[in-house]
Amino acid sequence: MLKSHSKDFLNDDDGAVTVDFVVLTSAIIGMGIMVIGIIWEGAFGFTEQLDADIQQISVLVH
């Protein structure tokens, strides 16, 4: 009887799609956060360089 229950338990795949969905969703969210961090860092560096370039421009008023 115990062997029959354990065999049924091992062959039962109810809920496996839910587990796969949770893992896949968390991987997508993690990769999204990583990509946003990389883009944010690049954009921030660009704006700092642009600000430094603008600060060096002198304007002559006649």
Coordinates of all heavy atoms in Angstrom, one line a residue:
M1 N 0.8 -1.2 0.0 CA 0.0 0.0 0.0 C 0.9 1.3 0.0 O 0.6 2.2 -0.7 CB -0.9 0.0 1.2 CG -1.8 1.2 1.2 SD -3.1 0.9 2.4 CE -3.8 2.5 2.5
L2 N 1.9 1.3 0.8 CA 2.8 2.4 0.8 C 3.5 2.6 -0.5 O 3.7 3.8 -1.0 CB 3.8 2.3 2.0 CG 4.8 3.5 2.1 CD1 4.0 4.7 2.4 CD2 5.8 3.1 3.2
K3 N 3.9 1.5 -1.1 CA 4.5 1.6 -2.4 C 3.6 2.2 -3.5 O 4.0 3.0 -4.3 CB 5.0 0.2 -2.9 CG 5.9 0.2 -4.0 CD 6.5 -1.2 -4.3 CE 7.5 -1.1 -5.4 NZ 8.2 -2.3 -5.6
S4 N 2.3 1.8 -3.4 CA 1.3 2.4 -4.3 C 1.1 3.9 -4.1 O 1.0 4.6 -5.1 CB 0.0 1.6 -4.1 OG -1.0 2.2 -4.9
H5 N 1.1 4.3 -2.9 CA 0.9 5.8 -2.6 C 2.2 6.6 -3.1 O 2.0 7.7 -3.6 CB 0.6 6.0 -1.1 CG -0.7 5.6 -0.7 ND1 -1.9 6.3 -1.2 CD2 -1.2 4.6 0.1 CE1 -2.9 5.7 -0.7 NE2 -2.5 4.7 0.2
S6 N 3.3 6.0 -2.8 CA 4.5 6.8 -3.2 C 4.7 6.8 -4.8 O 5.1 7.8 -5.3 CB 5.8 6.1 -2.6 OG 5.9 4.8 -3.0
K7 N 4.2 5.7 -5.4 CA 4.3 5.7 -6.9 C 3.3 6.8 -7.4 O 3.6 7.5 -8.4 CB 3.9 4.3 -7.4 CG 4.0 4.2 -8.9 CD 3.8 2.8 -9.4 CE 3.9 2.7 -10.9 NZ 3.6 1.4 -11.4
D8 N 2.1 6.8 -6.8 CA 1.1 7.8 -7.3 C 1.6 9.3 -7.0 O 1.4 10.2 -7.8 CB -0.2 7.6 -6.5 CG -0.9 6.4 -7.0 OD1 -0.6 5.9 -8.1 OD2 -1.8 5.9 -6.2
F9 N 2.3 9.4 -5.9 CA 2.8 10.7 -5.5 C 3.9 11.2 -6.5 O 3.9 12.3 -7.0 CB 3.4 10.7 -4.1 CG 4.0 12.0 -3.7 CD1 3.2 13.1 -3.3 CD2 5.4 12.2 -3.7 CE1 3.8 14.3 -3.0 CE2 6.0 13.4 -3.3 CZ 5.2 14.4 -3.0
L10 N 4.8 10.3 -6.9 CA 5.8 10.6 -7.8 C 5.3 10.9 -9.2 O 5.9 11.7 -10.0 CB 6.9 9.5 -7.8 CG 7.7 9.4 -6.5 CD1 8.6 8.2 -6.6 CD2 8.5 10.7 -6.3
N11 N 4.3 10.2 -9.6 CA 3.7 10.4 -10.9 C 2.7 11.6 -11.0 O 2.4 12.0 -12.1 CB 3.0 9.1 -11.4 CG 4.0 8.0 -11.7 OD1 5.1 8.3 -12.1 ND2 3.5 6.8 -11.5
D12 N 2.3 12.1 -9.9 CA 1.4 13.2 -9.9 C 2.1 14.5 -10.3 O 3.1 14.9 -9.6 CB 0.7 13.4 -8.5 CG -0.4 14.4 -8.5 OD1 -0.9 14.7 -9.6 OD2 -0.8 14.8 -7.4
D13 N 1.6 15.2 -11.3 CA 2.3 16.4 -11.8 C 1.4 17.7 -11.6 O 1.6 18.7 -12.3 CB 2.8 16.3 -13.2 CG 1.7 16.0 -14.2 OD1 0.6 15.9 -13.8 OD2 2.1 15.9 -15.4
D14 N 0.3 17.6 -10.8 CA -0.5 18.7 -10.6 C 0.3 19.8 -9.9 O 1.0 19.5 -8.9 CB -1.7 18.3 -9.7 CG -2.7 17.5 -10.5 OD1 -2.7 17.5 -11.7 OD2 -3.6 16.9 -9.8
G15 N 0.2 21.0 -10.3 CA 0.9 22.1 -9.7 C 2.3 22.4 -10.3 O 2.9 23.4 -10.0
A16 N 2.7 21.5 -11.2 CA 4.0 21.7 -11.8 C 4.1 22.9 -12.7 O 5.1 23.6 -12.8 CB 4.5 20.5 -12.6
V17 N 3.0 23.2 -13.4 CA 2.9 24.4 -14.2 C 3.0 25.7 -13.4 O 3.7 26.6 -13.8 CB 1.6 24.4 -15.1 CG1 1.5 25.6 -15.9 CG2 1.6 23.2 -16.0
T18 N 2.4 25.6 -12.2 CA 2.4 26.8 -11.3 C 3.9 27.0 -10.9 O 4.3 28.2 -10.9 CB 1.5 26.6 -10.1 OG1 0.2 26.3 -10.6 CG2 1.5 27.8 -9.2
V19 N 4.6 26.0 -10.5 CA 5.9 26.1 -10.1 C 6.8 26.7 -11.2 O 7.6 27.6 -11.0 CB 6.5 24.8 -9.5 CG1 8.0 24.9 -9.3 CG2 5.7 24.4 -8.3
D20 N 6.6 26.1 -12.4 CA 7.4 26.6 -13.6 C 7.1 28.1 -13.8 O 8.0 28.9 -14.1 CB 7.1 25.8 -14.8 CG 7.6 24.4 -14.7 OD1 8.5 24.1 -13.9 OD2 7.1 23.5 -15.5
F21 N 5.8 28.5 -13.7 CA 5.4 29.9 -14.0 C 6.1 30.8 -13.0 O 6.5 31.9 -13.3 CB 3.9 30.0 -13.9 CG 3.4 31.4 -14.2 CD1 3.4 31.9 -15.5 CD2 3.0 32.2 -13.2 CE1 3.0 33.2 -15.7 CE2 2.5 33.5 -13.4 CZ 2.5 34.0 -14.7
V22 N 6.1 30.4 -11.7 CA 6.7 31.2 -10.7 C 8.2 31.4 -10.9 O 8.7 32.5 -10.8 CB 6.4 30.7 -9.2 CG1 7.3 31.3 -8.2 CG2 5.0 30.7 -8.9
V23 N 8.9 30.4 -11.2 CA 10.3 30.4 -11.5 C 10.6 31.3 -12.7 O 11.5 32.2 -12.7 CB 10.9 29.0 -11.7 CG1 12.3 29.1 -12.2 CG2 10.8 28.2 -10.4
L24 N 9.8 31.1 -13.8 CA 10.0 31.9 -15.0 C 9.7 33.3 -14.8 O 10.5 34.2 -15.2 CB 9.1 31.3 -16.1 CG 9.2 31.9 -17.5 CD1 10.6 31.8 -18.0 CD2 8.2 31.4 -18.4
T25 N 8.7 33.6 -14.1 CA 8.3 35.0 -13.8 C 9.4 35.7 -12.9 O 9.7 36.9 -13.2 CB 6.9 35.1 -13.1 OG1 6.0 34.4 -13.9 CG2 6.5 36.5 -12.8
S26 N 9.9 35.0 -11.9 CA 10.9 35.7 -11.1 C 12.2 35.9 -11.9 O 12.9 36.9 -11.7 CB 11.2 34.8 -9.9 OG 11.7 33.5 -10.2
A27 N 12.5 35.0 -12.8 CA 13.7 35.2 -13.6 C 13.5 36.3 -14.6 O 14.5 37.1 -14.7 CB 14.0 33.9 -14.5
I28 N 12.4 36.5 -15.1 CA 12.1 37.6 -16.0 C 12.2 39.0 -15.3 O 12.8 39.9 -15.7 CB 10.7 37.5 -16.7 CG1 10.8 36.3 -17.7 CG2 10.3 38.8 -17.4 CD1 9.5 35.9 -18.3
I29 N 11.6 39.0 -14.1 CA 11.6 40.2 -13.3 C 13.1 40.5 -12.8 O 13.5 41.7 -12.9 CB 10.7 40.1 -12.0 CG1 9.2 40.1 -12.5 CG2 11.0 41.2 -11.0 CD1 8.3 39.7 -11.4
G30 N 13.8 39.5 -12.5 CA 15.2 39.7 -12.1 C 16.0 40.3 -13.2 O 16.8 41.2 -13.1
M31 N 15.9 39.7 -14.4 CA 16.6 40.2 -15.6 C 16.2 41.6 -15.9 O 17.0 42.4 -16.3 CB 16.4 39.3 -16.7 CG 17.1 37.9 -16.6 SD 16.8 36.8 -17.9 CE 17.6 37.6 -19.3
G32 N 14.9 41.9 -15.8 CA 14.4 43.3 -16.1 C 15.0 44.3 -15.1 O 15.4 45.4 -15.5
I33 N 15.1 44.0 -13.9 CA 15.7 44.9 -12.9 C 17.2 45.1 -13.2 O 17.7 46.2 -13.1 CB 15.6 44.3 -11.5 CG1 14.1 44.4 -11.1 CG2 16.4 45.1 -10.5 CD1 13.7 43.7 -9.8
M34 N 17.9 44.0 -13.6 CA 19.3 44.1 -14.0 C 19.5 45.0 -15.2 O 20.4 45.9 -15.2 CB 19.9 42.7 -14.3 CG 21.3 42.7 -14.6 SD 22.0 41.0 -14.9 CE 21.1 40.6 -16.4
V35 N 18.6 44.9 -16.2 CA 18.7 45.7 -17.4 C 18.4 47.1 -17.1 O 19.1 48.0 -17.6 CB 17.8 45.1 -18.5 CG1 17.6 46.1 -19.7 CG2 18.3 43.8 -19.0
I36 N 17.4 47.4 -16.3 CA 17.1 48.8 -15.9 C 18.3 49.4 -15.2 O 18.6 50.6 -15.4 CB 15.8 48.8 -15.0 CG1 14.6 48.5 -15.9 CG2 15.7 50.2 -14.4 CD1 13.3 48.4 -15.2
G37 N 18.9 48.6 -14.3 CA 20.1 49.2 -13.6 C 21.3 49.5 -14.5 O 21.9 50.5 -14.4
I38 N 21.5 48.7 -15.5 CA 22.6 49.0 -16.5 C 22.2 50.2 -17.3 O 23.1 51.1 -17.5 CB 22.8 47.8 -17.4 CG1 23.4 46.6 -16.6 CG2 23.7 48.1 -18.6 CD1 23.4 45.3 -17.4
I39 N 21.0 50.3 -17.8 CA 20.6 51.5 -18.6 C 20.6 52.8 -17.7 O 21.1 53.8 -18.1 CB 19.2 51.3 -19.1 CG1 19.2 50.2 -20.2 CG2 18.6 52.6 -19.7 CD1 17.9 49.8 -20.7
W40 N 20.2 52.7 -16.5 CA 20.2 53.8 -15.6 C 21.6 54.3 -15.3 O 21.9 55.5 -15.4 CB 19.5 53.4 -14.2 CG 19.4 54.6 -13.3 CD1 20.4 54.9 -12.3 CD2 18.4 55.5 -13.2 NE1 19.9 56.0 -11.7 CE2 18.7 56.4 -12.1 CE3 17.2 55.7 -13.9 CZ2 17.9 57.5 -11.8 CZ3 16.4 56.7 -13.5 CH2 16.7 57.6 -12.5
E41 N 22.5 53.4 -15.1 CA 23.9 53.8 -14.9 C 24.5 54.5 -16.1 O 25.2 55.5 -16.0 CB 24.7 52.5 -14.6 CG 26.2 52.8 -14.2 CD 26.9 51.6 -13.9 OE1 26.3 50.6 -13.3 OE2 28.2 51.5 -14.1
G42 N 24.2 54.0 -17.3 CA 24.7 54.6 -18.5 C 24.1 56.0 -18.7 O 24.8 56.9 -19.1
A43 N 22.8 56.1 -18.5 CA 22.2 57.4 -18.7 C 22.7 58.4 -17.7 O 22.9 59.6 -18.0 CB 20.7 57.2 -18.6
F44 N 22.9 58.0 -16.5 CA 23.4 58.9 -15.4 C 24.8 59.4 -15.7 O 25.1 60.6 -15.6 CB 23.4 58.2 -14.1 CG 23.7 59.1 -12.9 CD1 22.7 60.1 -12.5 CD2 24.9 59.0 -12.2 CE1 23.0 60.9 -11.5 CE2 25.1 59.9 -11.2 CZ 24.2 60.8 -10.8
G45 N 25.6 58.5 -16.2 CA 27.0 58.9 -16.6 C 27.0 59.9 -17.8 O 27.7 60.8 -17.8
F46 N 26.1 59.6 -18.7 CA 26.0 60.5 -19.9 C 25.5 61.9 -19.4 O 26.0 62.9 -19.9 CB 25.0 60.0 -20.9 CG 24.7 60.9 -22.1 CD1 25.6 61.1 -23.0 CD2 23.5 61.6 -22.1 CE1 25.4 62.0 -24.1 CE2 23.2 62.4 -23.2 CZ 24.2 62.6 -24.2
T47 N 24.5 62.0 -18.5 CA 24.0 63.3 -18.1 C 25.1 64.0 -17.3 O 25.2 65.3 -17.4 CB 22.7 63.2 -17.3 OG1 23.0 62.3 -16.2 CG2 21.6 62.7 -18.1
E48 N 25.9 63.3 -16.5 CA 27.0 64.0 -15.8 C 28.0 64.6 -16.8 O 28.5 65.7 -16.6 CB 27.7 63.0 -14.8 CG 26.9 62.7 -13.6 CD 27.6 61.8 -12.6 OE1 28.5 61.1 -13.1 OE2 27.3 61.9 -11.4
Q49 N 28.4 63.8 -17.8 CA 29.3 64.4 -18.8 C 28.7 65.5 -19.6 O 29.4 66.5 -19.8 CB 29.7 63.2 -19.8 CG 30.7 63.7 -20.8 CD 32.0 64.1 -20.2 OE1 32.5 63.5 -19.2 NE2 32.6 65.1 -20.7
L50 N 27.4 65.4 -19.9 CA 26.8 66.5 -20.6 C 26.7 67.8 -19.7 O 27.0 68.9 -20.2 CB 25.4 66.1 -21.0 CG 24.5 67.1 -21.8 CD1 25.2 67.4 -23.2 CD2 23.1 66.6 -22.0
D51 N 26.5 67.6 -18.5 CA 26.4 68.8 -17.5 C 27.8 69.4 -17.4 O 27.9 70.6 -17.4 CB 26.0 68.3 -16.1 CG 25.9 69.4 -15.2 OD1 25.3 70.5 -15.5 OD2 26.5 69.3 -14.1
A52 N 28.9 68.6 -17.4 CA 30.2 69.1 -17.3 C 30.6 69.9 -18.6 O 31.2 71.0 -18.5 CB 31.2 68.0 -17.1
D53 N 30.1 69.4 -19.7 CA 30.4 70.1 -21.0 C 29.6 71.4 -21.1 O 30.2 72.4 -21.6 CB 30.0 69.2 -22.2 CG 30.9 68.0 -22.3 OD1 32.0 68.0 -21.8 OD2 30.5 67.0 -23.0
I54 N 28.4 71.4 -20.6 CA 27.6 72.7 -20.6 C 28.2 73.7 -19.7 O 28.2 74.9 -20.0 CB 26.1 72.3 -20.3 CG1 25.5 71.6 -21.5 CG2 25.4 73.6 -20.0 CD1 24.1 71.1 -21.2
Q55 N 28.7 73.3 -18.6 CA 29.3 74.2 -17.6 C 30.5 74.9 -18.2 O 30.8 76.0 -17.8 CB 29.7 73.5 -16.3 CG 28.5 72.9 -15.5 CD 27.6 74.0 -14.9 OE1 28.1 75.1 -14.6 NE2 26.3 73.7 -14.8
Q56 N 31.2 74.2 -19.1 CA 32.4 74.8 -19.7 C 32.2 75.8 -20.8 O 33.0 76.5 -21.2 CB 33.3 73.7 -20.2 CG 33.9 72.8 -19.1 CD 34.8 71.7 -19.7 OE1 34.9 71.5 -20.9 NE2 35.4 70.9 -18.8
I57 N 30.9 75.9 -21.3 CA 30.6 76.8 -22.4 C 30.5 78.2 -21.8 O 29.8 78.4 -20.8 CB 29.3 76.4 -23.0 CG1 29.4 75.0 -23.7 CG2 28.8 77.4 -24.0 CD1 28.1 74.4 -24.3
S58 N 31.2 79.1 -22.4 CA 31.0 80.5 -22.0 C 30.2 81.3 -23.0 O 30.2 81.1 -24.2 CB 32.4 81.2 -21.9 OG 33.0 81.2 -23.1
V59 N 29.3 82.2 -22.5 CA 28.4 82.9 -23.3 C 28.9 84.4 -23.3 O 29.0 85.0 -22.2 CB 27.0 82.8 -22.8 CG1 26.0 83.6 -23.7 CG2 26.6 81.3 -22.8
L60 N 29.1 85.0 -24.4 CA 29.4 86.4 -24.5 C 28.2 87.2 -24.8 O 27.4 86.9 -25.7 CB 30.5 86.6 -25.6 CG 31.8 85.9 -25.4 CD1 32.7 86.1 -26.7 CD2 32.5 86.4 -24.2
V61 N 28.0 88.2 -24.0 CA 26.9 89.1 -24.2 C 27.4 90.5 -24.6 O 28.3 91.1 -23.9 CB 26.1 89.2 -22.9 CG1 24.9 90.2 -23.0 CG2 25.6 87.9 -22.4
H62 N 26.9 91.0 -25.7 CA 27.4 92.4 -26.2 C 26.4 93.4 -25.8 O 25.3 93.4 -25.7 CB 27.5 92.4 -27.7 CG 28.7 91.5 -28.1 ND1 28.5 90.4 -28.9 CD2 30.0 91.7 -27.9 CE1 29.7 89.9 -29.2 NE2 30.6 90.6 -28.6

